[in-house]
mmCIF file of all heavy atoms in Angstrom:
data_model
loop_
_atom_site.group_PDB
_atom_site.id
_atom_site.type_symbol
_atom_site.label_atom_id
_atom_site.label_comp_id
_atom_site.label_asym_id
_atom_site.label_seq_id
_atom_site.Cartn_x
_atom_site.Cartn_y
_atom_site.Cartn_z
ATOM 1 N N ASP B 54 -13.106 5.427 -21.450
ATOM 2 C CA ASP B 54 -12.257 4.528 -20.626
ATOM 3 C C ASP B 54 -12.101 5.092 -19.229
ATOM 4 O O ASP B 54 -11.904 6.307 -19.038
ATOM 5 C CB ASP B 54 -10.828 4.431 -21.267
ATOM 6 C CG ASP B 54 -9.940 3.438 -20.519
ATOM 7 O OD1 ASP B 54 -10.432 2.229 -20.432
ATOM 8 O OD2 ASP B 54 -8.957 3.784 -20.010
ATOM 9 N N PHE B 55 -12.219 4.226 -18.209
ATOM 10 C CA PHE B 55 -12.093 4.670 -16.827
ATOM 11 C C PHE B 55 -11.654 3.476 -15.998
ATOM 12 O O PHE B 55 -11.867 2.283 -16.407
ATOM 13 C CB PHE B 55 -13.349 5.275 -16.315
ATOM 14 C CG PHE B 55 -14.582 4.503 -16.518
ATOM 15 C CD1 PHE B 55 -14.971 3.456 -15.687
ATOM 16 C CD2 PHE B 55 -15.439 4.861 -17.590
ATOM 17 C CE1 PHE B 55 -16.117 2.773 -15.899
ATOM 18 C CE2 PHE B 55 -16.605 4.144 -17.760
ATOM 19 C CZ PHE B 55 -16.946 3.094 -16.963
ATOM 20 N N GLN B 56 -10.983 3.768 -14.874
ATOM 21 C CA GLN B 56 -10.504 2.722 -14.008
ATOM 22 C C GLN B 56 -10.953 2.960 -12.562
ATOM 23 O O GLN B 56 -11.125 4.102 -12.114
ATOM 24 C CB GLN B 56 -8.935 2.674 -14.000
ATOM 25 C CG GLN B 56 -8.318 2.074 -15.242
ATOM 26 C CD GLN B 56 -8.313 3.059 -16.398
ATOM 27 O OE1 GLN B 56 -8.030 4.174 -16.197
ATOM 28 N NE2 GLN B 56 -8.645 2.558 -17.560
ATOM 29 N N LYS B 57 -11.138 1.907 -11.845
ATOM 30 C CA LYS B 57 -11.489 2.015 -10.399
ATOM 31 C C LYS B 57 -10.261 2.527 -9.585
ATOM 32 O O LYS B 57 -9.115 2.182 -9.841
ATOM 33 C CB LYS B 57 -11.888 0.642 -9.851
ATOM 34 C CG LYS B 57 -13.183 0.119 -10.482
ATOM 35 C CD LYS B 57 -13.529 -1.245 -9.839
ATOM 36 C CE LYS B 57 -14.850 -1.764 -10.383
ATOM 37 N NZ LYS B 57 -15.245 -3.094 -9.775
ATOM 38 N N GLY B 58 -10.624 3.359 -8.608
ATOM 39 C CA GLY B 58 -9.603 3.773 -7.681
ATOM 40 C C GLY B 58 -9.658 2.879 -6.426
ATOM 41 O O GLY B 58 -9.982 1.707 -6.539
ATOM 42 N N ASP B 59 -9.316 3.500 -5.371
ATOM 43 C CA ASP B 59 -9.181 2.688 -4.113
ATOM 44 C C ASP B 59 -10.521 2.407 -3.463
ATOM 45 O O ASP B 59 -10.603 1.436 -2.625
ATOM 46 C CB ASP B 59 -8.276 3.450 -3.120
ATOM 47 C CG ASP B 59 -6.879 3.708 -3.698
ATOM 48 O OD1 ASP B 59 -6.351 2.771 -4.344
ATOM 49 O OD2 ASP B 59 -6.427 4.823 -3.575
ATOM 50 N N ILE B 60 -11.592 3.200 -3.734
ATOM 51 C CA ILE B 60 -12.828 2.983 -3.001
ATOM 52 C C ILE B 60 -13.998 3.068 -3.973
ATOM 53 O O ILE B 60 -14.971 3.804 -3.823
ATOM 54 C CB ILE B 60 -13.049 4.061 -1.921
ATOM 55 C CG1 ILE B 60 -12.859 5.456 -2.423
ATOM 56 C CG2 ILE B 60 -12.000 3.844 -0.734
ATOM 57 C CD1 ILE B 60 -13.411 6.567 -1.488
ATOM 58 N N ALA B 61 -13.951 2.271 -5.078
ATOM 59 C CA ALA B 61 -14.970 2.360 -6.134
ATOM 60 C C ALA B 61 -16.289 1.670 -5.799
ATOM 61 O O ALA B 61 -17.304 1.970 -6.442
ATOM 62 C CB ALA B 61 -14.393 1.713 -7.393
ATOM 63 N N GLU B 62 -16.367 0.850 -4.782
ATOM 64 C CA GLU B 62 -17.589 0.140 -4.526
ATOM 65 C C GLU B 62 -18.710 1.034 -4.153
ATOM 66 O O GLU B 62 -18.587 1.889 -3.306
ATOM 67 C CB GLU B 62 -17.326 -0.897 -3.385
ATOM 68 C CG GLU B 62 -18.563 -1.778 -3.081
ATOM 69 C CD GLU B 62 -18.301 -2.842 -2.036
ATOM 70 O OE1 GLU B 62 -17.137 -2.998 -1.648
ATOM 71 O OE2 GLU B 62 -19.237 -3.483 -1.593
ATOM 72 N N GLY B 63 -19.864 0.882 -4.827
ATOM 73 C CA GLY B 63 -21.017 1.692 -4.596
ATOM 74 C C GLY B 63 -21.089 2.954 -5.462
ATOM 75 O O GLY B 63 -21.987 3.762 -5.348
ATOM 76 N N TYR B 64 -20.086 3.074 -6.357
ATOM 77 C CA TYR B 64 -20.032 4.275 -7.259
ATOM 78 C C TYR B 64 -19.958 3.801 -8.712
ATOM 79 O O TYR B 64 -19.508 2.686 -8.970
ATOM 80 C CB TYR B 64 -18.807 5.094 -6.940
ATOM 81 C CG TYR B 64 -18.732 5.691 -5.558
ATOM 82 C CD1 TYR B 64 -17.972 5.064 -4.604
ATOM 83 C CD2 TYR B 64 -19.413 6.849 -5.233
ATOM 84 C CE1 TYR B 64 -17.897 5.552 -3.316
ATOM 85 C CE2 TYR B 64 -19.309 7.402 -3.944
ATOM 86 C CZ TYR B 64 -18.578 6.716 -2.962
ATOM 87 O OH TYR B 64 -18.450 7.271 -1.727
ATOM 88 N N SER B 65 -20.441 4.610 -9.593
ATOM 89 C CA SER B 65 -20.217 4.346 -11.037
ATOM 90 C C SER B 65 -19.952 5.659 -11.760
ATOM 91 O O SER B 65 -20.350 6.739 -11.283
ATOM 92 C CB SER B 65 -21.453 3.604 -11.645
ATOM 93 O OG SER B 65 -22.583 4.478 -11.662
ATOM 94 N N VAL B 66 -19.273 5.579 -12.896
ATOM 95 C CA VAL B 66 -18.947 6.748 -13.691
ATOM 96 C C VAL B 66 -19.153 6.467 -15.136
ATOM 97 O O VAL B 66 -19.344 5.306 -15.542
ATOM 98 C CB VAL B 66 -17.466 7.195 -13.504
ATOM 99 C CG1 VAL B 66 -17.244 7.692 -12.059
ATOM 100 C CG2 VAL B 66 -16.517 6.120 -13.827
ATOM 101 N N SER B 67 -19.128 7.514 -15.969
ATOM 102 C CA SER B 67 -19.114 7.380 -17.424
ATOM 103 C C SER B 67 -18.242 8.484 -17.996
ATOM 104 O O SER B 67 -17.975 9.514 -17.304
ATOM 105 C CB SER B 67 -20.493 7.507 -17.990
ATOM 106 O OG SER B 67 -21.032 8.785 -17.741
ATOM 107 N N ARG B 68 -17.632 8.274 -19.154
ATOM 108 C CA ARG B 68 -16.842 9.288 -19.782
ATOM 109 C C ARG B 68 -17.127 9.294 -21.255
ATOM 110 O O ARG B 68 -16.371 8.793 -22.078
ATOM 111 C CB ARG B 68 -15.353 8.960 -19.524
ATOM 112 C CG ARG B 68 -14.387 10.103 -20.027
ATOM 113 C CD ARG B 68 -14.290 11.236 -19.085
ATOM 114 N NE ARG B 68 -13.539 12.343 -19.578
ATOM 115 C CZ ARG B 68 -12.194 12.465 -19.617
ATOM 116 N NH1 ARG B 68 -11.446 11.468 -19.200
ATOM 117 N NH2 ARG B 68 -11.611 13.556 -20.050
ATOM 118 N N GLU B 69 -18.290 9.806 -21.596
ATOM 119 C CA GLU B 69 -18.705 9.776 -23.033
ATOM 120 C C GLU B 69 -18.198 11.015 -23.767
ATOM 121 O O GLU B 69 -18.093 11.007 -25.006
ATOM 122 C CB GLU B 69 -20.253 9.819 -23.069
ATOM 123 C CG GLU B 69 -20.879 8.568 -22.433
ATOM 124 C CD GLU B 69 -22.383 8.585 -22.435
ATOM 125 O OE1 GLU B 69 -22.983 9.620 -22.874
ATOM 126 O OE2 GLU B 69 -23.010 7.628 -21.942
ATOM 127 N N LYS B 70 -17.802 12.064 -23.090
ATOM 128 C CA LYS B 70 -17.213 13.240 -23.658
ATOM 129 C C LYS B 70 -15.948 13.602 -22.874
ATOM 130 O O LYS B 70 -15.862 13.422 -21.667
ATOM 131 C CB LYS B 70 -18.215 14.394 -23.616
ATOM 132 C CG LYS B 70 -19.487 14.208 -24.399
ATOM 133 C CD LYS B 70 -20.330 15.473 -24.447
ATOM 134 C CE LYS B 70 -20.699 15.919 -23.031
ATOM 135 N NZ LYS B 70 -21.543 17.165 -23.079
ATOM 136 N N LYS B 71 -15.052 14.214 -23.546
ATOM 137 C CA LYS B 71 -13.754 14.651 -22.892
ATOM 138 C C LYS B 71 -14.051 15.617 -21.760
ATOM 139 O O LYS B 71 -13.398 15.612 -20.734
ATOM 140 C CB LYS B 71 -12.869 15.295 -23.919
ATOM 141 C CG LYS B 71 -11.465 15.617 -23.378
ATOM 142 C CD LYS B 71 -10.579 16.135 -24.545
ATOM 143 C CE LYS B 71 -9.178 16.403 -24.062
ATOM 144 N NZ LYS B 71 -8.351 16.887 -25.228
ATOM 145 N N GLU B 72 -15.129 16.492 -21.953
ATOM 146 C CA GLU B 72 -15.367 17.524 -20.987
ATOM 147 C C GLU B 72 -16.128 17.091 -19.761
ATOM 148 O O GLU B 72 -16.160 17.769 -18.745
ATOM 149 C CB GLU B 72 -16.198 18.627 -21.656
ATOM 150 C CG GLU B 72 -15.503 19.275 -22.827
ATOM 151 C CD GLU B 72 -15.671 18.426 -24.135
ATOM 152 O OE1 GLU B 72 -16.541 17.499 -24.186
ATOM 153 O OE2 GLU B 72 -14.918 18.640 -25.092
ATOM 154 N N SER B 73 -16.704 15.914 -19.803
ATOM 155 C CA SER B 73 -17.671 15.499 -18.738
ATOM 156 C C SER B 73 -17.324 14.193 -18.120
ATOM 157 O O SER B 73 -16.993 13.200 -18.775
ATOM 158 C CB SER B 73 -19.025 15.450 -19.361
ATOM 159 O OG SER B 73 -20.022 15.085 -18.413
ATOM 160 N N PHE B 74 -17.473 14.156 -16.775
ATOM 161 C CA PHE B 74 -17.074 12.898 -16.050
ATOM 162 C C PHE B 74 -18.026 12.778 -14.837
ATOM 163 O O PHE B 74 -17.667 12.994 -13.698
ATOM 164 C CB PHE B 74 -15.654 12.936 -15.587
ATOM 165 C CG PHE B 74 -15.090 11.683 -15.077
ATOM 166 C CD1 PHE B 74 -15.414 10.451 -15.637
ATOM 167 C CD2 PHE B 74 -14.204 11.656 -13.930
ATOM 168 C CE1 PHE B 74 -14.826 9.261 -15.154
ATOM 169 C CE2 PHE B 74 -13.662 10.460 -13.482
ATOM 170 C CZ PHE B 74 -14.003 9.311 -14.064
ATOM 171 N N PRO B 75 -19.284 12.439 -15.084
ATOM 172 C CA PRO B 75 -20.312 12.395 -13.970
ATOM 173 C C PRO B 75 -20.083 11.165 -13.088
ATOM 174 O O PRO B 75 -19.681 10.082 -13.553
ATOM 175 C CB PRO B 75 -21.625 12.306 -14.664
ATOM 176 C CG PRO B 75 -21.293 11.734 -16.038
ATOM 177 C CD PRO B 75 -19.893 12.186 -16.374
ATOM 178 N N LEU B 76 -20.428 11.318 -11.824
ATOM 179 C CA LEU B 76 -20.294 10.252 -10.809
ATOM 180 C C LEU B 76 -21.702 9.950 -10.248
ATOM 181 O O LEU B 76 -22.372 10.868 -9.810
ATOM 182 C CB LEU B 76 -19.368 10.743 -9.671
ATOM 183 C CG LEU B 76 -19.254 9.815 -8.463
ATOM 184 C CD1 LEU B 76 -18.425 8.566 -8.777
ATOM 185 C CD2 LEU B 76 -18.691 10.537 -7.241
ATOM 186 N N THR B 77 -22.038 8.670 -10.272
ATOM 187 C CA THR B 77 -23.294 8.234 -9.670
ATOM 188 C C THR B 77 -23.019 7.553 -8.351
ATOM 189 O O THR B 77 -22.170 6.631 -8.336
ATOM 190 C CB THR B 77 -24.114 7.349 -10.637
ATOM 191 O OG1 THR B 77 -24.459 8.087 -11.787
ATOM 192 C CG2 THR B 77 -25.352 6.841 -9.936
ATOM 193 N N VAL B 78 -23.655 8.016 -7.318
ATOM 194 C CA VAL B 78 -23.553 7.336 -5.996
ATOM 195 C C VAL B 78 -24.767 6.466 -5.866
ATOM 196 O O VAL B 78 -25.909 6.966 -5.851
ATOM 197 C CB VAL B 78 -23.505 8.399 -4.898
ATOM 198 C CG1 VAL B 78 -23.291 7.719 -3.531
ATOM 199 C CG2 VAL B 78 -22.441 9.444 -5.121
ATOM 200 N N THR B 79 -24.560 5.137 -5.922
ATOM 201 C CA THR B 79 -25.676 4.264 -5.918
ATOM 202 C C THR B 79 -26.108 3.892 -4.484
ATOM 203 O O THR B 79 -25.436 4.203 -3.518
ATOM 204 C CB THR B 79 -25.320 2.945 -6.643
ATOM 205 O OG1 THR B 79 -24.456 2.161 -5.826
ATOM 206 C CG2 THR B 79 -24.615 3.230 -7.990
ATOM 207 N N SER B 80 -27.237 3.184 -4.419
ATOM 208 C CA SER B 80 -27.757 2.783 -3.157
ATOM 209 C C SER B 80 -26.886 1.748 -2.438
ATOM 210 O O SER B 80 -26.980 1.527 -1.234
ATOM 211 C CB SER B 80 -29.165 2.214 -3.305
ATOM 212 O OG SER B 80 -29.179 1.103 -4.199
ATOM 213 N N ALA B 81 -25.966 1.162 -3.225
ATOM 214 C CA ALA B 81 -25.028 0.183 -2.651
ATOM 215 C C ALA B 81 -23.935 0.830 -1.809
ATOM 216 O O ALA B 81 -23.273 0.172 -1.070
ATOM 217 C CB ALA B 81 -24.360 -0.595 -3.788
ATOM 218 N N GLN B 82 -23.748 2.146 -1.959
ATOM 219 C CA GLN B 82 -22.822 2.886 -1.193
ATOM 220 C C GLN B 82 -23.487 3.166 0.175
ATOM 221 O O GLN B 82 -24.323 4.061 0.273
ATOM 222 C CB GLN B 82 -22.350 4.153 -1.814
ATOM 223 C CG GLN B 82 -21.472 5.098 -0.999
ATOM 224 C CD GLN B 82 -20.308 4.450 -0.355
ATOM 225 O OE1 GLN B 82 -20.229 4.434 0.860
ATOM 226 N NE2 GLN B 82 -19.432 3.797 -1.094
ATOM 227 N N LYS B 83 -23.035 2.461 1.228
ATOM 228 C CA LYS B 83 -23.778 2.530 2.516
ATOM 229 C C LYS B 83 -23.476 3.788 3.364
ATOM 230 O O LYS B 83 -24.266 4.127 4.236
ATOM 231 C CB LYS B 83 -23.443 1.289 3.369
ATOM 232 C CG LYS B 83 -23.884 -0.013 2.680
ATOM 233 C CD LYS B 83 -25.312 0.013 2.287
ATOM 234 C CE LYS B 83 -25.752 -1.241 1.598
ATOM 235 N NZ LYS B 83 -27.157 -1.157 1.117
ATOM 236 N N ASN B 84 -22.380 4.419 3.110
ATOM 237 C CA ASN B 84 -22.008 5.606 3.880
ATOM 238 C C ASN B 84 -21.562 6.713 2.916
ATOM 239 O O ASN B 84 -20.389 7.053 2.919
ATOM 240 C CB ASN B 84 -20.941 5.250 4.872
ATOM 241 C CG ASN B 84 -20.611 6.440 5.836
ATOM 242 O OD1 ASN B 84 -21.443 7.301 6.051
ATOM 243 N ND2 ASN B 84 -19.389 6.416 6.334
ATOM 244 N N PRO B 85 -22.494 7.323 2.180
ATOM 245 C CA PRO B 85 -22.106 8.216 1.134
ATOM 246 C C PRO B 85 -21.897 9.674 1.563
ATOM 247 O O PRO B 85 -21.399 10.501 0.833
ATOM 248 C CB PRO B 85 -23.260 8.183 0.160
ATOM 249 C CG PRO B 85 -24.437 7.878 1.004
ATOM 250 C CD PRO B 85 -23.905 6.991 2.112
ATOM 251 N N THR B 86 -22.248 9.992 2.856
ATOM 252 C CA THR B 86 -22.117 11.388 3.282
ATOM 253 C C THR B 86 -20.637 11.771 3.289
ATOM 254 O O THR B 86 -19.837 11.142 4.011
ATOM 255 C CB THR B 86 -22.686 11.512 4.693
ATOM 256 O OG1 THR B 86 -24.085 11.293 4.658
ATOM 257 C CG2 THR B 86 -22.410 12.895 5.258
#
Side-chain angles (χ1 to χ4, degrees):
Chain B
D54 185 58
F55 48 83
Q56 286 79 41
K57 293 182 179 179
D59 301 317
I60 55 165
E62 185 175 350
Y64 300 97
S65 65
V66 294
S67 63
R68 187 82 188 276
E69 297 177 358
K70 299 187 299 181
K71 187 175 184 178
E72 301 80 17
S73 179
F74 192 40
L76 173 75
T77 296
V78 184
T79 75
S80 57
Q82 172 49 240
K83 298 307 179 186
N84 185 24
T86 295

